[in-house]
Amino acid sequence: MFWRFGRGVLAAVAATAVLAGAGTVVYSAQPNPVAGGPAGAGLCSGQASTARAAATVSDLRAFGDCEIGRRITTLGQLSSAVSASKGLASSDAATLSGYIAASKSGLTRLKATLDAETRLPAVRADILRIVAGYRVYVLVGPQVRLTIAADSELALKPHFDQLAAALAGRISAAQARGKDIATAQAALDAMNAAVAAATALAAPVRAQLLSLSVAKYNTGGAAPVIRNARTALIQARSDFRSAAQDGRNVLAALK
Amino acid sequence: MTRLRPRAVALFGAALIVGVALAGCGPRRPAATSAAPYPVYAASQTPDPSGAADSGSGEPGDPSSASPASLTSPATPDPAASELDQINQLINDINNSIQDSSNGGGE
């Protein structure tokens, strides 16, 4: 299912690029671990096949309209994710909402342009702009999701600070009662160290992500930033998970 | 003697009926099932000081109609453990965001 969709749409876009005669645009094969992709990556494969076979203005327009439509659906989902996020800082939410709104209005204008085209070269150029002009799936989507993750990770810090204070108090009380607190203290130290490491990893990510643009992506500067951001956030999440386990170990040691 | 017997029986019967009727009109007494003048709880039960058990609807599932023994409040959750549960939930949310971010969408 996934491979059929992934290959189908890649082939469709690549074929369209060939039809449009834009040999300079390179569509790299993106990993697509979720079957169907956002709003269905295989959603437009039918239109793509028709456009490949006939390459008339109306066929290409149908393909382009479909690709714009699924991007607008995806942008709506991203907008919902921003609204629903508990950890996203309000300033970052406003910035991301601005990026999403700009992409949506740009694609809506592009659809109107595409629908009014009557000549094949103009339609082909419009279709290429759907991808290269907006980068919804390889830039905006990761930018939104990873910024949510980064802010949410940083939002864990106050929770751990509160927990650390409570656990330190319990350790002191246990010590005052004459209990051996070595294991509990070691677990608390490990928790604090893991939180510090995770916070250091997550802290710079949001600014790096928010500075990305379509132009930067098209010149090759954004993809490595996204890749590194994802790696850092995965490691930070793992550190926070370890910290939570350390916290449970403190409680267990004090029982 | 033989002529008076039915009459005596009739009089006795009438007296019995009147007696029973008069007894039924008198002040009623509770049907005592226990010699004690106050509620008696089993050793493992304590009376509900709030009286909540008496104010319930008596419907099945109505907590206020439960036996006093079942009204004991659950143990207070450990605040630190609750904080850890909340942290774990937030980490799961982060996990979802990271997973969704790697969906290229076939662009």
Side-chain angles (χ1 to χ4, degrees):
Chain A
M1 180 83 165
F2 145 58
W3 285 112
R4 188 166 63 78
F5 280 165
R7 280 202 302 232
V9 82
L10 282 174
V13 175
T16 308
V18 172
L19 284 169
T24 54
V25 178
V26 176
Y27 298 96
S28 60
Q30 294 294 326
N32 185 12
V34 178
L43 201 66
C44 307
S45 57
Q47 288 88 338
S49 299
T50 307
R52 250 199 320 270
T56 65
V57 167
S58 64
D59 290 338
L60 281 173
R61 188 189 294 139
F63 171 63
D65 282 349
C66 182
E67 286 290 338
I68 289 172
R70 80 179 179 99
R71 280 167 174 76
I72 287 176
T73 301
T74 297
L75 290 167
Q77 291 167 346
L78 293 174
S79 190
S80 298
V82 168
S83 302
S85 172
K86 297 173 200 152
L88 190 60
S90 57
S91 59
D92 293 348
T95 304
L96 292 173
S97 295
Y99 292 166
I100 293 167
S103 298
K104 204 181 276 188
S105 61
L107 282 165
T108 304
R109 281 196 306 274
L110 181 56
K111 183 181 185 310
T113 304
L114 176 64
D115 289 348
E117 303 287 15
T118 55
R119 297 180 60 248
L120 213 48
V123 173
R124 287 170 174 161
D126 288 345
I127 288 174
L128 286 175
R129 281 169 54 207
I130 297 170
V131 176
Y134 296 93
R135 298 294 181 189
V136 171
Y137 295 113
V138 291
L139 172 64
V140 183
Q143 195 175 30
V144 169
R145 303 285 189 186
L146 291 176
T147 303
I148 290 173
D151 280 5
S152 300
E153 288 188 354
L154 293 176
L156 286 172
K157 177 78 165 54
H159 288 278
F160 273 106
D161 287 347
Q162 193 176 334
L163 182 64
L167 294 178
R170 289 193 192 191
I171 289 173
S172 297
Q175 190 173 27
R177 292 195 305 271
K179 187 176 172 67
D180 179 6
I181 49 96
T183 306
Q185 186 60 55
L188 179 59
D189 292 345
M191 185 187 94
N192 289 335
V195 170
T199 306
L201 280 168
V205 169
R206 56 166 288 283
Q208 293 164 358
L209 288 169
L210 292 175
S211 69
L212 299 178
S213 63
V214 170
K216 194 167 183 177
Y217 188 92
N218 288 341
T219 54
V225 174
I226 292 170
R227 209 165 33 242
N228 293 339
R230 187 178 292 121
T231 303
L233 293 174
I234 288 170
Q235 182 57 51
R237 179 204 58 196
S238 176
D239 288 346
F240 277 124
R241 214 184 276 283
S242 297
Q245 184 55 51
D246 291 331
R248 294 202 185 280
N249 292 344
V250 174
L251 293 177
L254 291 176
K255 272 187 180 170
Chain B
M1 183 77 177
T2 53
R3 288 177 59 191
L4 286 176
R5 188 175 295 159
R7 223 170 144 181
V9 170
L11 281 171
F12 176 77
L16 188 65
I17 290 167
V18 168
V20 168
L22 285 174
C25 291
R28 289 173 184 272
R29 284 186 171 185
T33 54
S34 164
Y38 46 83
V40 176
Y41 297 90
S44 62
Q45 294 176 323
T46 52
D48 178 10
S50 69
D54 294 330
S55 61
S57 65
E59 293 287 336
D62 180 359
S64 66
S65 63
S67 70
S70 69
L71 290 175
T72 51
S73 58
T76 307
D78 184 338
S82 299
E83 185 78 37
L84 280 165
D85 288 342
Q86 195 183 349
I87 285 169
N88 272 341
Q89 183 56 53
L90 292 169
I91 291 172
N92 288 340
D93 292 346
I94 291 165
N95 206 34
N96 293 337
S97 290
I98 293 174
Q99 281 182 346
D100 290 344
S101 77
S102 56
N103 192 334
E107 187 161 284

